[in-house]
Amino acid sequence: MLNRSFWEGRKVFVTGHTGFKGAWLSLWLDALGADVTGFALAPPSEPSLFEQAKVGECVRSIHGDVRDLAHLQSAMAACKPDVVIHMAAQSVVRASYDDPVDTYATNVMGTVHLMEAIRRLERPCVVVNVTSDKCYENREWVWGYRESDPMGGHDPYSNSKGCSELVTNAYRDSFFPPETLSRHGVAVASARAGNAIGGGDWTANQLIPDLIRAFMDRRPCRIRSPRSIRPWQFVLMPLHGYLLLCERLAEDGAGFASGWNFGPSEGDAKPVSWIADKLVTSWGEGASWAQDGATHPAEAQLLRLDTSKARALLNWHPVLQLDQSLLWIVEWYEAFQAGKDLQSLTRRQIERYEYLLQDDAETCALATRRMRAAAAPLLTAADG
């Protein structure tokens, strides 16, 4: 569970708040009572969750580019943040082939600028750089990548995210070492997650948005790599991980200033075709898909994350299974088609997810009490 008292009134600086994940995060932070400042370019799609859910009403929104160090530094200095969550990125693999220079400029130098602005801020704060599961050197292993595995990436996007991780490590080691946290006060971590799905995603060349657009147009959706396996997770699952990580960094920066994986249960790493079939069934009339036979740039076929570290040390784990996630997604887009209040619906899904977290915490506590009660007679007997 999140500690609401931690977030109440806390100054949070979010880059990329106009994007899909950034908009969800901004609404959740607002619901937690945080004082949020967002720094980002205009929404990256039309339509966008940022506009549809009226996120601009809930945050102090600054139009800015992380490639502009002076503007980023000025905005951060004005905010005086307690927490910085860096999500601004060029986030599409195919777009990185079209414009690799912009991808590296945003994802690598944007991270450099973010870290440099924090260094010049000379103020204690918690920092989480959100990268991607694609930051690892992908060897198409059937087992999940651990946080200690080497960075890599064979396409410009994936490689730029690996570079962003290396930049984070270099700034942490050079300027914010955990062993001298009491002197500089800056706790820096990175969060690695991918294939976050949810309502309000309109990103081009992404599976769920492509399927939904095709369904609404009543045409088959052309899918590039139906056999590719990805770790699908509802968008609130990794966001919950980022927020928990921020709380732990504030409590024990030296112990948590490192890289962290956030991914779904092993059974929710599914082929693209499985997702497409499930959404076709849930959507109903007018929904279909077919394989795209055209030639496309290479993408990884198999990618899994090992989330043991987050489960053990953050007490984080998935509480929403993939089947249910897809139903929540259909609910959101059907509400969009019906012209309903999308901010209210998005907030309700956040509340619903928080209830699941609460139920999960209560279930775990009950199981712990039962185990202790069952062990008590054995301990007594052993003492005797």
Side-chain angles (χ1 to χ4, degrees):
M1 284 292 294
L2 295 174
N3 180 1
R4 301 187 77 88
S5 63
F6 172 84
W7 294 101
E8 186 69 37
R10 194 167 294 264
K11 294 182 179 179
V12 184
F13 190 89
V14 179
T15 69
H17 70 295
T18 58
F20 163 61
K21 286 174 69 177
W24 274 94
L25 178 64
S26 296
L27 286 177
W28 200 350
L29 285 168
D30 179 68
L32 291 169
D35 180 1
V36 184
T37 297
F39 183 93
L41 295 172
S45 64
E46 175 56 44
S48 72
L49 177 62
F50 181 80
E51 297 291 349
Q52 292 169 324
K54 299 181 176 63
V55 178
E57 297 178 356
C58 309
V59 303
R60 186 180 301 103
S61 189
I62 300 171
H63 185 272
D65 191 330
V66 292
R67 293 171 294 185
D68 183 345
L69 173 58
H71 190 194
L72 178 60
Q73 182 183 346
S74 174
M76 194 176 292
C79 175
K80 296 181 176 62
D82 304 304
V83 174
V84 177
I85 304 176
H86 180 45
M87 302 183 72
Q90 193 296 98
S91 61
V92 182
V93 172
R94 285 174 58 82
S96 76
Y97 282 101
D98 295 333
D99 196 345
V101 172
D102 176 72
T103 298
Y104 281 103
T106 301
N107 295 354
V108 183
M109 289 308 299
T111 303
V112 172
H113 292 164
L114 188 283
M115 294 297 171
E116 184 63 13
I118 291 167
R119 186 175 76 88
R120 298 181 186 182
L121 192 63
E122 297 182 339
R123 174 186 173 85
C125 65
V126 163
V127 183
V128 172
N129 177 27
V130 176
T131 61
S132 169
D133 57 353
K134 296 179 178 65
C135 68
Y136 293 104
E137 182 182 341
N138 193 344
R139 301 178 183 178
E140 302 286 345
W141 285 334
V142 295
W143 54 85
Y145 292 91
R146 293 182 176 179
E147 289 84 351
S148 57
D149 285 327
M151 299 294 103
H154 302 295
D155 59 82
Y157 169 75
S158 303
N159 186 265
S160 73
K161 286 300 187 177
C163 290
S164 178
E165 286 281 353
L166 295 176
V167 167
T168 304
N169 290 344
Y171 263 82
R172 179 172 51 230
D173 292 344
S174 300
F175 306 111
F176 315 122
E179 59 270 21
T180 59
L181 180 66
S182 60
R183 178 173 56 81
H184 56 74
V186 179
V188 178
S190 62
R192 304 154 187 177
N195 293 92
I197 58 177
D201 189 1
W202 301 101
T203 309
N205 297 310
Q206 299 278 58
L207 179 63
I208 302 290
D210 285 352
L211 284 165
I212 295 298
R213 279 188 289 262
F215 295 172
M216 290 180 177
D217 293 341
R218 306 178 73 84
R219 57 177 172 79
C221 179
R222 299 290 176 180
I223 294 179
R224 299 187 301 274
S225 304
R227 290 188 295 275
S228 294
I229 296 174
R230 296 287 184 269
W232 311 97
Q233 56 185 323
F234 193 71
V235 61
L236 294 177
M237 288 163 55
L239 296 185
H240 176 226
Y242 307 162
L243 296 174
L244 276 178
L245 179 55
C246 289
E247 292 181 14
R248 300 301 181 270
L249 284 168
E251 296 169 1
D252 179 13
F256 290 86
S258 58
W260 299 81
N261 287 341
F262 298 100
S265 303
E266 186 173 344
D268 281 347
K270 297 288 188 182
V272 167
S273 59
W274 188 94
I275 296 289
D277 288 339
K278 286 288 185 179
L279 281 178
V280 164
T281 300
S282 297
W283 192 270
E285 186 178 355
S288 64
W289 71 273
Q291 184 164 358
D292 187 346
T295 301
H296 298 282
E299 295 187 42
Q301 295 299 304
L302 179 64
L303 184 61
R304 301 177 191 269
L305 293 180
D306 184 321
T307 60
S308 301
K309 180 180 175 182
R311 291 168 185 256
L313 301 182
L314 294 176
N315 196 27
W316 173 93
H317 55 274
V319 297
L320 186 64
Q321 298 304 306
L322 187 53
D323 280 343
Q324 191 65 35
S325 299
L326 296 177
L327 294 177
W328 286 27
I329 290 169
V330 170
E331 176 189 42
W332 197 99
Y333 286 107
E334 287 180 341
F336 164 79
Q337 277 198 305
K340 295 183 179 179
D341 183 340
L342 296 175
Q343 185 187 100
S344 295
L345 174 59
T346 306
R347 287 185 181 277
R348 283 201 303 275
Q349 290 196 344
I350 291 171
E351 291 173 0
R352 204 182 302 164
Y353 192 80
E354 288 184 323
Y355 288 140
L356 290 176
L357 292 175
Q358 181 176 345
D359 289 345
D360 182 70
E362 291 173 352
T363 299
C364 290
L366 178 60
T368 300
R369 289 196 295 270
R370 286 176 174 172
M371 285 191 295
R372 288 174 177 171
L378 299 176
L379 294 173
T380 301
D383 290 341

